[in-house]
């Protein structure tokens, strides 16, 4: 049962690097007064929230929802890719919220997918969405997020979260096999997130350097991405090519698993920075390279989410209505 009475609402999109906050004034209205705070500048989630609210002035909203880059299971959360941990009920009481809803950040993003406009979506390959079909979502940022959005017979959207970012990687070439073996030795498990994230891009770069017996002087994701995009660093470019190929394989696996006939969406902060280079990469070929189901996947459209502000903020507001 939807509760559309509690406005304005405080909404948040909490990642491993940035914490974004905004205010929603009305049902499905675009969030306003958006601010992005660096997570490592605040000791706790509460401190970041308080800083944002203090900057606004005025009364604290009575309803709040955040999407957070972490599993949400029970009252206490300890972030996987950040030091923040908190009790949902304790935060609710501290700020005096009547309602405080916390969902996985990709659940929040999935809830916002139907609201995205064509100007916020960049197609990758062909395919035609089946109306009412399940939507798949995968995105690389500080970690690797995965979710899907299914629709009931009455057309209601239900977001399904999970920890699909930690599935095992599978190689399609001998060099990928060698790189994944290197990741396996280093981490014990070569998961999707170990390769398909900001830190994962660096991991691929270092592992590929080991396989090719080359030096790997770059240490930051932004440096590897910039070197690859500039075209002057063959190793960084090869790492980024492998990143796109492996992401295509993982996205294709997700599309098969959830039956994403409504389309596959690519979120996160890394892929939009690649621009048209991503459309020219091996992503689409690997997305479809599933043997007898290549035809099935060739009909599924893929889009890169390239929005000016985080759609997960609106999705967090929708999570309040769905709770």
């Amino acid at each position: 049962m939807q509760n559309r009475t509690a406005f304005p609402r405080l909404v948040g999109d909490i990642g491993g690097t940035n914490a974004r906050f905004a205010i929603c004034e009305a049902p499905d209205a675009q969030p306003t007064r958006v601010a992005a705070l660096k997570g490592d500048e605040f000791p706790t989630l509460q401190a970041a929230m308080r800083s944002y609210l203090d900057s606004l002035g005025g009364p604290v909203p009575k309803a709040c929802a955040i999407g957070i880059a972490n599993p949400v299971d029970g009252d206490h959360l300890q972030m996987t890719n950040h030091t923040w941990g908190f009790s949902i009920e304790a935060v609710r009481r501290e700020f005096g919220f009547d309602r405080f809803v916390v969902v996985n950040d990709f659940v929040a993003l999935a809830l916002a997918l139907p609201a995205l406009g064509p100007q916020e979506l960049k197609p990758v390959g062909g395919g035609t969405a089946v109306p009412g079909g399940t939507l798949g979502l995968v995105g690389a940022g500080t970690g690797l997020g995965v979710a899907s959005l299914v629709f009931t017979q009455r057309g209601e959207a239900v977001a399904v979260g999970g920890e699909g970012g930690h599935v095992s990687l599978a190689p399609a070439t001998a060099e990928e096999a060698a790189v994944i073996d290197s990741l396996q030795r280093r981490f014990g498990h070569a998961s999707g997130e170990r390769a398909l994230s900001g830190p994962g891009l660096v991991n691929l770069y270092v592992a590929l350097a080991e396989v090719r017996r080359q030096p790997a002087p770059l240490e930051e994701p932004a440096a590897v991405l910039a070197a690859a995009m500039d075209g002057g660093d063959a190793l960084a470019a090869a790492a980024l090519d492998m990143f796109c190929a492996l992401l295509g394989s993982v996205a294709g696996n997700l599309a098969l698993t959830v039956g994403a006939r409504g389309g596959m969406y690519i979120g996160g902060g890394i892929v939009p920075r690649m621009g048209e280079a991503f459309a020219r990469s091996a992503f689409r070929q690997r997305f479809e390279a599933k043997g007898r189901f290549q035809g099935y996947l060739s009909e599924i459209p893929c889009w890169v989410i390239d929005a000016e502000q985080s759609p997960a903020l609106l999705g967090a507001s929708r999570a309040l209505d769905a709770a």
Side-chain angles (χ1 to χ4, degrees):
M1 180 176 178
Q2 291 188 339
N3 175 4
R4 293 185 175 272
T5 60
F7 290 95
R9 299 169 170 182
L10 172 64
V11 293
D13 176 21
I14 313 301
T17 303
N18 297 307
R20 296 177 175 85
F21 297 104
I23 299 294
C24 280
E25 303 279 0
D28 285 339
Q30 284 298 319
T32 60
R33 291 179 276 182
V34 179
L37 308 181
K38 293 293 185 182
D40 59 8
E41 294 180 0
F42 298 89
T44 64
L45 169 69
Q46 298 95 306
M49 291 175 67
R50 183 68 66 189
S51 175
Y52 172 74
L53 289 169
D54 287 348
S55 73
L56 298 182
V60 175
K62 288 299 183 181
C64 176
I66 63 172
I68 189 166
N70 209 73
V72 180
D73 183 16
D75 178 70
H76 183 77
L77 275 72
Q78 178 61 55
M79 293 185 67
T80 304
N81 292 318
H82 200 288
T83 59
W84 288 354
F86 60 92
S87 158
I88 296 173
E89 177 61 15
V91 172
R92 186 192 71 78
R93 291 180 179 177
E94 178 178 341
F95 287 88
F97 299 134
D98 290 336
R99 300 183 65 213
F100 179 42
V101 172
V102 181
V103 297
N104 175 267
D105 61 335
F106 268 69
V107 166
L109 182 54
L111 287 168
L113 293 179
L116 292 173
Q119 74 281 3
E120 298 174 301
L121 298 170
K122 307 299 182 186
V124 184
T128 302
V130 174
T134 296
L135 311 183
L137 171 64
V138 63
T142 306
L144 179 64
V146 171
S148 60
L149 193 71
V150 299
F151 297 90
T152 67
Q153 291 183 339
R154 292 180 293 181
E156 297 172 334
V158 179
V160 181
E163 290 303 314
H166 301 282
V167 298
S168 300
L169 287 172
T173 68
E175 188 164 64
E176 284 182 3
V179 165
I180 291 172
D181 183 60
S182 174
L183 296 177
Q184 183 87 20
R185 291 193 306 272
R186 181 179 174 188
F187 297 110
H189 176 226
S191 69
E193 186 168 281
R194 292 298 192 187
L196 303 175
S197 61
L201 178 58
V202 178
N203 292 340
L204 284 179
Y205 171 76
V206 171
L208 195 58
E210 176 188 313
V211 170
R212 295 185 175 184
R213 294 184 172 84
Q214 295 179 12
L218 304 178
E219 298 180 351
E220 296 296 328
V224 176
L225 182 60
M229 297 296 291
D230 288 345
D233 189 321
L235 181 64
L240 188 60
D241 288 345
M242 188 173 291
F243 176 97
C244 295
L246 290 171
L247 184 60
S249 293
V250 169
N253 288 344
L254 177 63
L256 289 175
T257 300
V258 304
R261 303 299 298 277
M264 177 62 60
Y265 292 76
I266 313 301
I270 296 176
V271 171
R273 298 178 191 176
M274 295 180 59
E276 291 302 315
F278 185 73
R280 298 191 299 268
S281 76
F283 171 85
R284 184 74 203 197
Q285 183 271 324
R286 289 285 289 272
F287 176 80
E288 298 179 10
K290 303 295 182 186
R292 292 173 293 171
F293 273 75
Q294 182 170 358
Y296 176 93
L297 289 165
S298 70
E299 295 299 319
I300 295 178
C302 295
W303 296 281
V304 174
I305 301 170
D306 190 13
E308 288 188 10
Q309 71 178 31
S310 170
L313 294 169
L314 175 61
S317 181
R318 291 184 168 189
L320 266 170
D321 296 325

